[in-house]
């Protein structure tokens, strides 16, 4: 009877493995031991890929108290690169926060891409106040198109500006605005190659409504970000906030109002059919603009994005150690 039980247990274990060879060998019991009982060894932490939801984990408390805290963590998909922006540099296009297919010029002020829409954003964003920058449509070609605008930190880089709820776009086709992939009539007409598009954002007292900066932990050689507390309120709308677009110095009207608090970055996405030259745009963060508007219709006069200060990724303590040591 003992033999029958053991063979039955072995078959029950082997059948799933035959259907799923990728299962880890650690899932198999040790058949050399007596009996068939097997207890899976528990791991102190369960990790996920960047695309999977956060899971519960036990990590050393960052306050140095020697205890442990149970937190929800997920791997950081993109961690700030120190060479991407420094205090000595001025705002430019990020070589980290861009889709792989987006190509940057040597001075990181121009961007181009082919095939499907892909996004690139600037190295610095704004949380509060009125700000302005320009983009010149350098080349569209026969099949090129652009969607230009603003994106927060969660905007999908593998999609066009305005694809999700984290970015706000202005289309060259018919001049429509786009957000959450929904197009709405906006400008009188679209823009074309050679046009200069101006981008205005106003976030009055935006700091009050910005979400908390994510906290990092360091565990077994991997950086993780703590998932937001479920008890925390979602980002609040910034009263009086807006985004407006200009074409060659002429305001096309208010495109979006009541933006959620957060950091907003200049962003662009380009598209052409395969085997066509790059669709290319050039950013101008000021202070010398081609078409700085003469009249903002009572809106606060914006500052040029060139004046946005360097905002480093703070050297927070990760499990009792500065992340400077992990760089």
């Amino acid at each position: 009877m003992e033999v029958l039980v053991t063979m039955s247990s072995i078959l029950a274990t082997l059948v799933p493995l035959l259907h799923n060879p990728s299962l880890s060998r650690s899932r198999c019991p040790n058949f050399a031991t007596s009996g068939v009982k097997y207890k899976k060894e528990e791991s102190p932490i369960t990790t996920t890929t960047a695309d999977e939801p956060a899971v519960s984990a036990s990590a050393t408390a960052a306050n140095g108290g020697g205890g442990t805290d149970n937190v929800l963590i997920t791997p950081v998909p993109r961690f700030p690169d120190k060479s991407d922006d420094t205090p000595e540099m001025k705002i430019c296009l990020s070589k980290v926060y861009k889709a792989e297919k987006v190509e940057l010029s040597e001075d990181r002020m121009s961007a181009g891409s082919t095939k499907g829409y892909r996004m690139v954003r600037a190295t610095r964003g704004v949380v509060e106040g009125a700000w302005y920058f320009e983009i010149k449509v350098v080349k569209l070609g026969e099949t090129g198109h652009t969607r230009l605008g603003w994106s927060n930190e969660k905007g999908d880089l593998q999609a066009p500006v305005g694809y999700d709820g984290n970015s706000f776009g202005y289309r060259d086709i018919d001049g429509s605005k786009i957000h959450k992939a929904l197009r709405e009539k906006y400008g009188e007409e679209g823009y074309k190659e050679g046009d200069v598009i101006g981008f205005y954002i106003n976030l009055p007292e935006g700091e009050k409504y910005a979400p908390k900066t994510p906290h990092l932990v360091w565990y077994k050689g991997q950086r993780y970000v703590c998932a937001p507390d479920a008890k925390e309120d979602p980002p609040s709308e910034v009263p009086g906030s807006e985004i407006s677009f200009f074409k060659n110095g002429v305001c096309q009207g208010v495109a979006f109002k009541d933006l959620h608090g957060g950091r907003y970055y200049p962003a662009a996405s380009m598209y052409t059919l395969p085997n066509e030259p790059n669709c290319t745009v050039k950013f101008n963060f000021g202070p010398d603009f081609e078409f700085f508007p003469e009249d903002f219709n009572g809106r606060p006069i914006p500052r040029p994005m060139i004046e946005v200060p360097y905002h480093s990724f703070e050297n927070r303590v990760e499990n009792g150690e500065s992340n400077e040591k992990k760089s």
Side-chain angles (χ1 to χ4, degrees):
M1 185 65 180
E2 179 67 19
V3 174
L4 290 176
V5 173
T6 304
M7 292 301 295
S8 176
S9 300
I10 293 174
L11 289 174
T13 303
L14 290 178
V15 169
L17 291 175
L18 292 174
H19 287 285
N20 189 358
S22 63
L23 289 175
S24 170
R25 291 181 61 188
S26 63
R27 299 281 299 272
C28 301
N30 185 351
F31 299 128
T33 59
S34 61
V36 296
K37 293 183 180 180
Y38 173 71
K39 183 178 179 181
K40 183 179 178 181
E41 183 179 354
E42 295 182 355
S43 172
I45 184 169
T46 304
T47 62
T48 68
T49 65
D51 296 327
E52 293 178 335
V55 296
S56 179
S58 177
T60 305
N63 58 14
T68 59
D69 288 334
N70 289 323
V71 296
L72 291 175
I73 61 174
T74 188
V76 180
R78 293 173 185 262
F79 199 83
D81 183 342
K82 289 184 178 181
S83 66
D84 196 39
D85 192 18
T86 67
E88 295 75 26
M89 296 173 63
K90 298 292 185 181
I91 181 175
C92 59
L93 299 180
S94 174
K95 60 185 180 181
V96 175
Y97 294 99
K98 74 174 187 68
E100 183 181 357
K101 298 297 183 180
V102 174
E103 299 175 4
L104 303 182
S105 60
E106 188 173 348
D107 62 1
R108 292 165 61 185
M109 297 298 288
S110 296
S113 70
T114 58
K115 299 184 180 180
Y117 269 119
R118 299 291 187 271
M119 189 199 301
V120 60
R121 77 182 199 210
T123 52
R124 302 179 187 181
V126 294
V127 176
E128 181 174 298
W131 299 88
Y132 184 87
F133 73 97
E134 288 180 347
I135 294 179
K136 184 171 185 176
V137 183
V138 177
K139 185 176 181 59
L140 285 177
E142 296 182 0
T143 63
H145 296 291
T146 65
R147 296 184 185 183
L148 314 172
W150 299 87
S151 174
N152 65 24
E153 294 165 327
K154 296 181 179 180
D156 189 346
L157 300 174
Q158 303 299 332
V161 178
Y163 170 77
D164 54 24
N166 300 302
S167 59
F168 302 80
Y170 180 33
R171 302 172 73 226
D172 69 303
I173 304 175
D174 68 27
S176 58
K177 62 182 181 180
I178 185 166
H179 177 58
K180 296 182 179 179
L182 298 176
R183 299 191 298 269
E184 295 184 45
K185 182 174 175 55
Y186 174 60
E188 294 183 359
E189 59 182 4
Y191 53 88
K192 60 187 183 300
E193 191 172 295
D195 284 337
V196 175
I197 310 303
F199 301 84
Y200 175 91
I201 192 170
N202 185 24
L203 300 162
E205 299 184 316
E207 286 280 4
K208 292 182 179 180
Y209 307 94
K212 295 180 181 179
T213 304
H215 178 71
L216 296 182
V217 294
W218 177 270
Y219 190 85
K220 291 187 176 181
Q222 170 71 42
R223 290 182 174 93
Y224 294 87
V225 61
C226 294
D229 190 335
K231 298 179 181 179
E232 291 183 7
D233 296 328
S236 303
E237 292 181 352
V238 181
S241 58
E242 69 167 82
I243 287 175
S244 296
F245 302 113
F246 293 74
K247 187 175 78 169
N248 299 326
V250 179
C251 184
Q252 303 299 296
V254 176
F256 303 101
K257 294 181 178 180
D258 302 322
L259 311 174
H260 286 111
R263 189 174 297 276
Y264 289 82
Y265 298 79
S269 53
M270 294 71 63
Y271 166 89
T272 61
L273 290 178
N275 302 318
E276 293 284 338
N278 273 8
C279 173
T280 306
V281 299
K282 184 175 182 179
F283 284 69
N284 180 357
F285 298 114
D288 299 321
F289 294 111
E290 284 194 54
F291 290 98
F292 189 74
E294 297 179 359
D295 183 12
F296 284 92
N297 297 322
R299 300 180 181 89
I301 303 301
R303 297 169 61 186
M305 286 293 294
I306 195 72
E307 295 182 6
V308 178
Y310 170 71
H311 40 263
S312 65
F313 194 86
E314 298 176 6
N315 295 324
R316 298 178 189 84
V317 173
E318 302 172 344
N319 292 0
E321 298 180 60
S322 169
N323 64 22
E324 283 287 350
K325 299 178 181 179
K326 311 295 189 304
S327 301

